[in-house]
Amino acid sequence: MQKRFRVFAALLACSLLLTACGKIESPAPSENAFADYQTGDSAADSAQSIAISAGVKDNDSMRFTYSGEPVAINYGVNASDDCEVGLLIFLDGVLQSYKVDGQTTAMHTLDLKADTEQIFTLYLTPSLGEAGDTLRLNFVNVFDPTLKTAPAGGTVVFGNSHKFSQSMPWTLQMQAPANSAAPTISDGEKLVPMTDAQIQSYLETDSRGNTRDARDTFQVELLAGGENMAPLYTLQEQNEMELRLYANTAQTYRVCLLADFTTLLPINGAQYVDVEVQKDSYSVIDLSFARSDLEPYTNLFAVAVALSTDDGVYKTSSVCLVK
């Protein structure tokens, strides 16, 4: 089933602002975070927008079945102008490898030509699950999945690059167990109550007296030194960071830290961490990396996948690591 998604390009300035401050307000899962994207690094670079449609083909059931053999999935992507799009797949919040044309990858990328749909078949062998399980399957499209580096003495602007889009989650019915080592998953977040001043900072009142709470949309942020990480981060000998999650609705998210899109960096000694989010509190995870841990990589961001609802997949702003 393929859906057409749109978000007005007039919202670009807002999306750039969110990138700068480290907050990504992902849309409802049925919407597309990058349709009608502006090309270039800023609105001033180009007035051209790109509308993208992407989704599973030839299946209206929103369900796949795994019976011990790789699951064949036809996937199509179309764009109104030339661009590049990558595909990440999460199964119960765990990043999946899959095969396309005999090659194993965690992110297949497509160089799209204007108004020319590309359809490919991927083969998914789940990395987790027991017979009888019903798992949540998220297809996440990544706009312009190119690694960003900063010129000497310059800066980098991600703009719409690395933005996620998604449809409603599918399900994978397990009729056979996964034949691979289970991913390592930890917990151990700390809950930090919000102060009255912090709660008030998320409230906005319009001219009609209507109040909006930014926490109505789930937020995940990557911080260093108590501040949202800037697009450029210069590596130190020891790099202390933290992940901060919050929302008005209590639920559980599975979180991972991705370097260069597909490499999992450890969180609490594991590949993933399950985080419970509670109203009026920050759920905080402390991170610590030696310089040598991060030097091989160029870009960094965190991903949070809702486990208890169909809320979808969220990411932090991307960060360019300066050696």
Side-chain angles (χ1 to χ4, degrees):
M1 181 176 67
Q2 186 177 39
K3 296 183 178 181
R4 183 74 170 176
F5 308 104
R6 283 189 179 273
V7 168
F8 293 109
L11 296 179
L12 176 64
C14 179
S15 68
L16 292 176
L17 175 60
L18 291 172
T19 298
C21 73
K23 296 181 181 179
I24 296 297
E25 290 195 0
S26 296
S30 60
E31 297 175 348
N32 187 337
F34 64 70
D36 283 356
Y37 266 14
Q38 299 278 0
T39 58
D41 282 341
S42 71
D45 290 331
S46 173
Q48 186 178 12
S49 64
I50 299 177
I52 296 175
S53 60
V56 173
K57 307 287 289 187
D58 307 321
N59 186 331
D60 293 328
S61 69
M62 300 292 289
R63 180 182 295 107
F64 292 100
T65 300
Y66 174 69
S67 56
E69 297 296 326
V71 180
I73 301 172
N74 296 323
Y75 200 84
V77 187
N78 196 6
S80 61
D81 208 337
D82 297 357
C83 65
E84 186 177 13
V85 173
L87 176 65
L88 299 174
I89 298 176
F90 292 88
L91 185 63
D92 265 19
V94 173
L95 183 65
Q96 298 294 292
S97 295
Y98 53 92
K99 285 188 176 182
V100 177
D101 296 330
Q103 300 297 313
T104 300
T105 182
M107 184 175 70
H108 181 61
T109 59
L110 298 171
D111 290 315
L112 298 173
K113 300 300 181 183
D115 298 318
T116 303
E117 184 179 33
Q118 289 195 37
I119 300 174
F120 62 96
T121 302
L122 65 93
Y123 295 88
L124 174 66
T125 301
S127 66
L128 72 161
E130 299 293 337
D133 288 349
T134 299
L135 306 180
R136 186 169 305 178
L137 187 61
N138 294 92
F139 297 94
V140 179
N141 311 293
V142 186
F143 181 78
D144 186 24
T146 55
L147 297 178
K148 300 291 185 179
T149 58
T155 187
V156 63
V157 178
F158 284 94
N160 288 309
S161 298
H162 301 189
K163 289 292 182 68
F164 280 10
S165 76
Q166 61 200 290
S167 64
M168 292 294 292
W170 289 58
T171 58
L172 180 65
Q173 183 65 46
M174 301 290 290
Q175 294 184 349
N179 188 24
S180 61
T184 55
I185 302 171
S186 71
D187 52 23
E189 78 278 3
K190 57 185 179 184
L191 282 177
V192 180
M194 293 181 179
T195 66
D196 289 341
Q198 287 170 330
I199 292 174
Q200 289 300 315
S201 71
Y202 296 112
L203 304 179
E204 297 179 357
T205 303
D206 61 23
S207 58
R208 296 183 178 181
N210 299 314
T211 299
R212 175 185 178 275
D213 191 336
R215 298 171 302 161
D216 289 340
T217 301
F218 168 76
Q219 305 285 351
V220 55
E221 301 168 347
L222 186 59
L223 299 92
E227 301 290 338
N228 285 284
M229 293 183 71
L232 284 180
Y233 175 78
T234 301
L235 294 181
Q236 311 297 314
E237 289 306 311
Q238 193 67 29
N239 300 272
E240 307 296 335
M241 307 173 188
E242 66 179 35
L243 282 166
R244 187 169 69 178
L245 300 83
Y246 55 97
N248 271 337
T249 303
Q251 56 183 304
T252 302
Y253 293 84
R254 183 159 291 163
V255 181
C256 64
L257 192 61
L258 290 179
D260 296 349
F261 294 103
T262 59
T263 299
L264 292 163
L265 297 181
I267 303 176
N268 291 346
Q271 296 169 304
Y272 300 87
V273 58
D274 286 354
V275 180
E276 292 186 9
V277 174
Q278 298 184 16
K279 183 177 173 63
D280 294 339
S281 292
Y282 295 114
S283 296
V284 178
I285 304 161
D286 293 323
L287 306 170
S288 182
F289 298 100
R291 182 186 183 94
S292 59
D293 296 331
L294 300 178
E295 274 187 324
Y297 308 110
T298 302
N299 294 160
L300 179 70
F301 59 81
V303 175
V305 184
L307 297 182
S308 50
T309 69
D310 288 338
D311 193 26
V313 181
Y314 295 79
K315 72 178 287 288
T316 66
S317 296
S318 295
V319 175
C320 178
L321 302 175
V322 181
K323 312 300 191 289

